[in-house]
Amino acid sequence: MQVVKTEGLRSLYLGLTPALTRSVLYGGLRLGLYEPSKYVCELAFESTNVFMKIASGAFSGAVATALTNPVEVVKVRLQMNTKTTSGPIHELQKIALEEGVAALWKGVGPAIARAAALTASQLATYDESKQVLMRWTSLQEGFYLHLIASTIAGTMSTIITAPIDMIKTRLMLQRESKRVGSYRNGLHCAYQVLLTEGPRGLYKGGFAIFARLGPQTTLTFILCEKLRELAGLKAL
């Protein structure tokens, strides 16, 4: 309400273009790499237990983020600069020229950690929840099974990734805002937040994260399962 009041309705959609671009690339890569990664783990370790699922999800998320981090940096900068009239391409060029190309990978460490944790918690929890629900209830492959399993996955991923998300955002905004402080790396940022704001500081914006991540996770998995069914592929 404060953002709309002070900056207008348009400000809620700042950084929309890079956000959509990243969603297509990042979302496609992390979901697309999960099954092949799980297959490799199955061949290598002759097992598909929950630890193999976690490892497959972490690998998929890490690779996807390493490739798409520049788009995430541009998105965050556009959201921070509410008065900017430049587009994402101009902002990308500006960052590269003024701060160097390496600045486009600012915060990549926490971003990879977050993506690995997010993808591992989402996909492993969803995958395992489906197996448990089918084993202990009368639910079978279908909408209701996917809905319940994806809701569990969304909740779990929010709890695990909210602190990492906050650290990643603060690192990306250091140059743009004096309020976020000056941090050497992700661990230093986490230490400073714990020192000055306490453990609850790591979960600042946690409800907003769940409000986005919960429905996003549910929609992602329901649509993914439907598309896999239409393509003749087996369920996740």
Side-chain angles (χ1 to χ4, degrees):
M1 289 173 65
Q2 284 296 315
V3 170
V4 172
K5 185 179 178 181
T6 57
E7 301 170 27
L9 189 64
R10 178 180 171 274
S11 63
L12 293 176
Y13 290 91
L14 286 171
L16 180 62
T17 301
L20 290 172
T21 303
R22 181 181 179 276
S23 290
V24 171
L25 298 172
Y26 169 73
L29 282 168
R30 74 190 190 95
L31 287 172
L33 288 171
Y34 178 67
E35 281 292 312
S37 300
K38 197 167 73 168
Y39 178 69
V40 170
C41 285
E42 185 179 356
L43 287 177
F45 301 101
E46 297 182 352
S47 173
T48 55
N49 61 35
V50 67
F51 297 108
M52 296 299 103
K53 294 172 185 176
I54 291 171
S56 301
F59 174 78
S60 304
V63 171
T65 293
L67 295 173
T68 59
N69 196 74
V71 189
E72 176 74 359
V73 171
V74 172
K75 183 199 76 171
V76 171
R77 294 290 181 89
L78 287 174
Q79 289 173 337
M80 185 65 185
N81 296 326
T82 55
K83 295 179 182 179
T84 186
T85 55
S86 63
I89 300 298
H90 181 268
E91 187 67 24
L92 187 73
Q93 293 172 334
K94 180 184 172 185
I95 294 168
L97 288 171
E98 293 182 5
E99 303 171 48
V101 176
L104 293 170
W105 273 270
K106 191 172 283 186
V108 70
I112 285 176
R114 177 196 178 271
L118 171 65
T119 310
S121 59
Q122 272 186 337
L123 288 164
T125 303
Y126 177 75
D127 201 338
E128 199 65 19
S129 295
K130 277 179 62 179
Q131 301 304 317
V132 171
L133 287 166
M134 285 192 290
R135 192 180 304 126
W136 295 102
T137 71
S138 59
L139 289 170
Q140 295 300 317
E141 281 293 346
F143 175 77
Y144 293 109
L145 176 65
H146 301 158
L147 177 64
I148 296 169
S150 60
T151 302
I152 295 170
T155 304
M156 182 61 70
S157 57
T158 301
I159 292 169
I160 291 172
T161 61
I164 306 171
D165 205 31
M166 188 276 296
I167 291 166
K168 179 203 72 170
T169 303
R170 288 203 179 188
L171 286 173
M172 287 180 174
L173 291 179
Q174 281 189 97
R175 182 181 171 90
E176 301 297 319
S177 175
K178 294 178 182 177
R179 290 180 299 171
V180 301
S182 180
Y183 310 113
R184 292 192 292 271
N185 50 49
L187 289 174
H188 182 247
C189 177
Y191 173 74
Q192 288 296 317
V193 170
L194 284 170
L195 200 65
T196 58
E197 303 170 41
R200 291 182 64 183
L202 292 172
Y203 281 91
K204 276 187 176 177
F207 178 76
I209 291 170
F210 178 74
R212 179 185 69 85
L213 196 56
Q216 182 201 49
T217 303
T218 302
L219 287 170
T220 297
F221 283 122
I222 289 173
L223 288 172
C224 183
E225 293 282 24
K226 192 63 182 175
L227 289 169
R228 290 177 70 87
E229 182 188 330
L230 292 172
L233 298 170
K234 67 174 185 177
L236 282 172

